[in-house]
Amino acid sequence: MNQKSMVALSIFFLCLFICFGYSSCARETEAKRLEPALASIAAGDLAADTQILSSDEFEGRAPASPGEEKTVAFLEQEFRKLGLEPGNGDSFFQEVPMVVITADPSARLEVKAHRKSVSFAYNEEFVAATMRVMEEVSLVDSEMVFAGYGIIAPEYNWNDYEGLDVRGKTVVVLINDPGFATQDPAFFSGRTMTYYGRWTYKYEEAARQGAAGLFIVHETEPAAYPWGVVQNGWTGPQFNLVADDDNMSRCAVEGWLHLEAARQVFKAAGLEFDAVKTAAARPGFKPIPLGLKASLTLHNTIEKVTSRNVVALLLGSRRPDEVIIYMAHWDHFGINPALEGDQIFNGALDNATGTAALIELAEAFQRLKRPPDRSIVFLAVTGEEQGLIGSEYYATHPVFPTSKTVAAINIDALNIYGPMKDVTVVGYGLSELDAYIEAAAKEQGRTVNPDPTPEKGSYFRSDHFPFAKQGIPAVYPSGGVDHVEHGREWTLALKEEYTAEHYHKPSDEFDPNWDLSGAVDDLRLLFKVGYRLAMDPAFPNWKEGTEYRAKRDADMAASAARNGGPSPR
Ligand SMILES: [Zn+2]
């Protein structure tokens, strides 16, 4: 080695030393800076707030009920105590206008066959509702047709409505999608539910086709929950956002058929349900006119109410107009006086825990000596259980412009089973937020995994989804499943048991035996993710090829054009 290269090598090592020394020092500084914040996240606090929010006193936290008053007042008080600012002008609230439609439960569904007719009981055998703001909606001798999965998906070369005119007719469809039915990974998304598998899509498509009514056949496995969840969710007061057309573009009747009722319907049509179901998952399936006529009248009481999203703000120190949103839904199902025994849906896990997490994260951010560069928004939304209403309203009436909203992190039900070796991210692989989560998980010695039960369509089932539809990078990290002591099967079995026994039932109550230590890990992780997003000038985007990216790119470009500058970083 000559002298020149010796010098070059020395300089190289010197630089390496400086760089390495500097960056490890910067890391140390961050770790030190975050220490008191991370330490403030505690299982005891989470348990205490969860207990308050899920107490009988809060009456199950139904939107526009005395339970709402108590819930939003509690949240405002906690955010104020922590020194946060009102997030919506001088208010902690964003009003969400809703319509509440309650159908008379004496309704019966009559299905007329050639000679005889069958009649089905509301609640036990079918449920039905209308989103139309009308006191009475009817199906009168409406021709029934079976349209497979009720899907039009050009990218999968699939059209269940091909050659079919369903105007004025009543369509019967299956839940989930043909990929789930066949478990073929090359077909739709295989076991992973596509949006086409969600009931919300099926009603949207039937409305576009002009159907008078749509009934989905309920099956527990492809729906991901038992009939009881459908009953709780679809009977009693139904909340909806008020659209300009009073939702007249929706089908008159939207409902579900219990599997046994569906079997009877197909039998009346001279068909066997299982055979028809198998046929519906095969390419080339053709819709089947059932030769039956459906009649049903729903008598509704209609009430217009206002509910509230709670918005609290920690103002950023250098880029206060750019925001990171942590969100969780505060609402649950309230009280059902028709139930025997316990009538209060306490919603302790779903989602008093997530709401408590917002308070805990807010406290952690307040423990920082200096607020992060960007602002942090704590958004507790209403009406999630009734169809993502509060988050849909916020996403379409954003307080902070969508182009200034860096990311949304949704928390819906904390991990109550203890420490996990992994962290589950619903929406993993979709956006550049993955890298932030991976880094923070690695620091805890944890791995990041996608949703272990993608067949449940979780990405479409909580409040990040309306944000994703508006192009805002959004994730839903939800604990993990690989328990440090007991492993994966143990956790999955407990989760299954919760879904079967307690999910959306009055028995979702606070349990002092919950192990919230894993939730503390998760919130420390999410704190770091939010903090780094708030310090990093970058705007993470959706990954190439995802359906949400075009919207984000257009939004950012429009914002750049408005501001007359180059696109934001
Ligand atoms: Zn829920």
Side-chain angles (χ1 to χ4, degrees), residues 42-79:
D45 294 353
L46 284 173
D49 287 336
T50 300
Q51 224 172 334
I52 293 170
L53 287 160
S54 65
S55 63
D56 285 357
E57 201 196 325
F58 281 64
E59 299 182 32
R61 305 187 305 280
S65 74
E68 160 160 352
E69 295 301 327
K70 286 176 185 161
T71 306
V72 301
F74 175 74
L75 290 172
E76 176 178 10
Q77 168 202 309
E78 292 304 304
F79 286 135

Side-chain angles (χ1 to χ4, degrees), residues 350 384-385 503-504:
D350 179 11
E384 191 268 356
E385 304 289 14
Y503 175 65
H504 288 187

Side-chain angles (χ1 to χ4, degrees), residues 414-549:
L414 293 180
N415 160 22
I416 52 169
Y417 307 112
M420 301 288 170
K421 289 187 217 163
D422 62 341
V423 53
T424 300
V425 176
V426 179
Y428 189 50
L430 294 180
S431 80
E432 290 162 2
L433 297 176
D434 288 356
Y436 293 83
I437 299 172
E438 283 160 4
K442 203 170 161 208
E443 287 159 19
Q444 294 183 335
R446 300 167 75 191
T447 54
V448 182
N449 285 317
D451 184 2
T453 52
E455 69 278 11
K456 295 187 176 179
S458 301
Y459 198 71
F460 318 116
R461 287 174 56 183
S462 190
D463 293 311
H464 51 282
F465 186 54
F467 282 67
K469 282 199 283 185
Q470 299 306 319
I472 298 168
V475 278
Y476 168 24
S478 70
V481 291
D482 192 1
H483 193 274
V484 167
E485 239 178 279
H486 305 291
R488 200 179 136 86
E489 295 311 314
W490 180 86
T491 318
L492 288 173
L494 285 179
K495 285 187 168 224
E496 279 303 315
E497 186 192 306
Y498 167 81
T499 304
E501 304 295 328
H502 309 299
Y503 175 65
H504 288 187
K505 292 189 177 153
S507 62
D508 178 2
E509 300 201 40
F510 177 76
D511 182 345
N513 293 319
W514 285 350
D515 181 351
L516 290 168
S517 61
V520 169
D521 290 341
D522 294 340
L523 293 184
R524 288 181 177 156
L525 185 154
L526 293 185
F527 174 86
K528 282 188 180 174
V529 170
Y531 176 80
R532 288 170 185 166
L533 283 165
M535 296 301 283
D536 186 344
F539 271 83
N541 201 340
W542 298 95
K543 289 184 181 165
E544 258 349 313
T546 53
E547 56 261 60
Y548 314 106
R549 184 170 169 130

Side-chain angles (χ1 to χ4, degrees), residues 167-503:
R167 275 173 296 178
K169 293 180 187 167
T170 296
V171 182
V172 177
V173 300
L174 303 168
I175 189 62
N176 214 316
D177 64 37
F180 180 84
T182 56
Q183 301 279 306
D184 174 358
F187 192 28
F188 280 73
S189 291
R191 216 178 145 69
T192 301
M193 187 192 277
T194 61
Y195 186 55
Y196 300 112
R198 265 304 267 171
W199 54 267
T200 46
Y201 163 78
K202 294 176 195 288
Y203 296 117
E204 287 161 10
E205 191 58 62
R208 281 192 284 272
Q209 300 300 316
L214 179 82
F215 284 93
I216 300 173
V217 178
H218 174 265
E219 288 184 277
T220 300
E221 215 208 333
Y225 41 71
W227 178 249
V229 171
V230 177
Q231 287 176 301
N232 284 342
W234 282 74
T235 59
Q238 299 294 305
F239 292 75
N240 286 299
L241 275 179
V242 190
D244 294 337
D245 68 345
D246 273 345
N247 302 330
M248 295 307 286
S249 58
R250 303 286 301 202
C251 296
V253 173
E254 303 179 359
W256 290 78
L257 288 174
H258 189 284
L259 179 56
E260 290 315 312
R263 287 188 193 281
Q264 284 186 53
V265 168
F266 283 94
K267 208 173 144 205
L271 296 164
E272 209 265 309
F273 174 72
D274 295 295
V276 170
K277 183 181 150 184
T278 309
R282 283 200 201 104
F285 165 79
K286 294 271 177 306
I288 306 170
L290 294 175
L292 306 171
K293 286 176 175 167
S295 296
L296 167 72
T297 298
L298 294 173
H299 297 281
N300 302 310
T301 50
I302 292 169
E303 195 191 348
K304 294 207 171 170
V305 299
T306 304
S307 184
R308 279 158 291 181
N309 290 331
V310 182
V311 200
L313 175 70
L314 173 74
L315 207 60
S317 50
R318 290 181 58 199
R319 303 167 186 278
D321 59 328
E322 297 173 1
V323 303
I324 315 312
I325 297 181
Y326 286 103
M327 61 198 298
H329 74 87
W330 61 253
D331 67 295
H332 202 57
F333 288 105
I335 296 173
N336 182 353
L339 291 181
E340 284 186 30
D342 190 358
Q343 300 176 334
I344 304 176
F345 291 77
N346 301 83
L349 181 59
D350 179 11
N351 186 27
T353 56
T355 311
L358 286 185
I359 300 171
E360 211 48 19
L361 284 166
E363 184 192 0
F365 274 96
Q366 285 297 52
R367 291 288 170 97
L368 294 170
K369 276 206 192 91
R370 177 187 145 93
D373 292 354
R374 284 170 166 155
S375 295
I376 311 285
V377 172
F378 302 92
L379 177 63
V381 293
T382 181
E384 191 268 356
E385 304 289 14
Q386 303 283 349
L388 316 181
I389 296 174
S391 51
E392 177 72 29
Y393 188 80
Y394 180 94
T396 51
H397 303 79
V399 174
F400 304 92
T402 50
S403 62
K404 298 282 185 186
T405 303
V406 177
I409 300 169
N410 180 37
I411 307 171
D412 193 351
L414 293 180
N415 160 22
I416 52 169
Y417 307 112
M420 301 288 170
K421 289 187 217 163
D422 62 341
V423 53
T424 300
V425 176
V426 179
Y428 189 50
L430 294 180
S431 80
E432 290 162 2
L433 297 176
D434 288 356
Y436 293 83
I437 299 172
E438 283 160 4
K442 203 170 161 208
E443 287 159 19
Q444 294 183 335
R446 300 167 75 191
T447 54
V448 182
N449 285 317
D451 184 2
T453 52
E455 69 278 11
K456 295 187 176 179
S458 301
Y459 198 71
F460 318 116
R461 287 174 56 183
S462 190
D463 293 311
H464 51 282
F465 186 54
F467 282 67
K469 282 199 283 185
Q470 299 306 319
I472 298 168
V475 278
Y476 168 24
S478 70
V481 291
D482 192 1
H483 193 274
V484 167
E485 239 178 279
H486 305 291
R488 200 179 136 86
E489 295 311 314
W490 180 86
T491 318
L492 288 173
L494 285 179
K495 285 187 168 224
E496 279 303 315
E497 186 192 306
Y498 167 81
T499 304
E501 304 295 328
H502 309 299
Y503 175 65

